[in-house]
Amino acid sequence: MSDVSQRFATPPVLITGMSGAGLSSAAKVLEDKGYYVAHNIPSRVMVDLFEQCAAEDSPVDKLGVVADVRTRMFPGSLLEVITELDSRGLKPVVLFMDARDDVLIRRFDSVRRTHPLQEGDTLSLGIEREREAVKNVLAEADLVIDTSGLSVHDLRRAIEVSLGTMAADRQHVTVQSFGFKHGAPRDADIMVDVRFLPNPYWVPELRAFRGTDQPVADYVLRQPSAGEFIDNFEAMFASMLAGYRHEGKNFVTVAVGCTGGHHRSVAVAEEFARRLRLRDGLEVNVIHRDFDRH
């Protein structure tokens, strides 16, 4: 059996998800990073494409494939393709792009497009049909990015951070800070709430700073309850990593929330990521979702 880590410079990426959730934007990010990206080829052709690109004489060493609702109109399910690729040592990283229904409706309305599965009905029904069609792929996705509150620039950063350097022999952990007042992230595997810590926002000389600034980090992390919490959470998470690895889950997103996503969650996320980087076999990235939001 072939080894994907030897046949590609980075593991191939399969981009799929909800129409209007940012599949094209994700594809552009990969193209800018030097990936050869194929769009909406029939499911049965995907396996042949992967094999051709993985051949020794292939000029392609970074491969991305976009599979939206149009791909699913051809015979053969996407899950069958992923299973077949896995059996050949070519299993891709499955990146699922998602967004809330109200956001998808607003995006379709703004460009005056009909949903591919609308079929003369309402836009909401088209989105409902697509959610039903993709639910099995969503359940098997390695990475889920919820683009509901992301600008184009935020989306690029989220994809770049989530994919990282894509080392095939490592588990990938993304630590994301966020503010509950902007909504809890839907794409997190584990979520923790650090609003029990004293809030630097109420310290006048700290309010304008962020959790990446030393005065705020010191204020947050020097709280006895902060150190105890991070110690306990790190120990719990470490015990989970082996189980994730056994289940084939090599991408894990940890969300750390506070009120606004500026101070406590940022400082704790940075410290937690720092500790994880000391462990072997992990690639750790940090993203601060609401760092600049008010």
Side-chain angles (χ1 to χ4, degrees):
M1 184 179 295
S2 54
D3 183 352
V4 66
S5 65
Q6 297 177 1
R7 300 172 74 182
F8 288 103
T10 61
V13 179
L14 175 61
I15 302 170
T16 188
M18 295 293 294
S19 300
L23 279 71
S24 296
S25 296
K28 289 177 182 177
V29 173
L30 292 189
E31 288 173 347
D32 290 346
K33 293 174 73 65
Y35 280 73
Y36 171 79
V37 181
H39 294 257
N40 301 315
I41 57 177
S43 300
R44 292 177 179 174
V45 179
M46 280 189 204
V47 176
D48 292 337
L49 174 66
F50 273 73
E51 286 284 10
Q52 290 182 38
C53 291
E56 291 185 4
D57 59 350
S58 170
V60 175
D61 63 356
K62 292 182 176 181
L63 175 63
V65 175
V66 179
D68 68 11
V69 68
R70 289 169 290 179
T71 299
R72 294 187 287 274
M73 296 167 65
F74 292 94
S77 74
L78 206 51
L79 280 181
E80 291 172 344
V81 171
I82 295 170
T83 300
E84 176 67 16
L85 290 171
D86 190 17
S87 71
R88 302 188 186 199
L90 294 168
K91 185 179 185 298
V93 173
V94 180
L95 171 59
F96 191 98
M97 310 298 294
D98 201 359
R100 299 193 313 269
D101 286 5
D102 63 299
V103 173
L104 296 176
I105 290 172
R106 185 169 64 249
R107 290 174 182 172
F108 274 99
D109 284 344
S110 69
V111 295
R112 299 183 179 180
R113 288 173 50 204
T114 58
H115 190 279
L117 298 183
Q118 194 165 336
E119 301 174 1
D121 293 318
T122 65
L123 180 53
S124 295
L125 278 175
I127 293 172
E128 183 180 335
R129 291 183 183 118
E130 186 172 24
R131 286 218 181 273
E132 179 64 24
V134 302
K135 65 180 183 180
N136 291 335
V137 177
L138 172 59
E140 297 298 324
D142 296 296
L143 287 167
V144 179
I145 295 181
D146 182 354
T147 67
S148 299
L150 301 182
S151 67
V152 173
H153 300 297
D154 291 335
L155 173 58
R156 171 177 288 273
R157 285 192 290 268
I159 293 171
E160 290 176 341
V161 168
S162 296
L163 294 180
T165 57
M166 296 288 288
D169 59 344
R170 289 173 173 263
Q171 281 186 291
H172 303 257
V173 180
T174 297
V175 183
Q176 178 188 72
S177 70
F178 72 95
F180 279 99
K181 77 174 187 178
H182 301 297
R186 301 190 305 160
D187 48 6
D189 299 295
I190 303 169
M191 186 184 305
V192 294
D193 182 351
V194 297
R195 288 177 293 184
F196 66 91
L197 297 172
N199 191 350
Y201 179 86
W202 301 114
V203 181
E205 59 268 28
L206 297 179
R207 181 174 298 179
F209 291 100
R210 295 293 186 263
T212 50
D213 296 313
Q214 199 62 48
V216 173
D218 288 343
Y219 178 87
V220 172
L221 299 177
R222 284 176 181 170
Q223 303 294 329
S225 53
E228 182 180 1
F229 168 78
I230 297 173
D231 288 344
N232 291 336
F233 182 51
E234 181 188 7
M236 181 192 75
F237 186 70
S239 70
M240 299 169 67
L241 284 172
Y244 279 135
R245 186 181 294 111
H246 181 266
E247 294 299 317
K249 185 172 180 58
N250 291 320
F251 291 82
V252 183
T253 299
V254 179
V256 183
C258 64
T259 302
H262 296 160
H263 300 106
R264 292 167 291 180
S265 62
V266 173
V268 171
E270 288 283 347
E271 173 61 15
F272 184 58
R274 184 193 68 79
R275 295 189 185 194
L276 290 182
R277 291 190 181 105
L278 300 177
R279 296 178 176 272
D280 294 332
L282 291 182
E283 180 176 284
V284 183
N285 298 293
V286 181
I287 184 169
H288 300 303
R289 192 193 71 177
D290 300 323
F291 194 81
D292 295 319
R293 297 178 71 176
H294 299 286

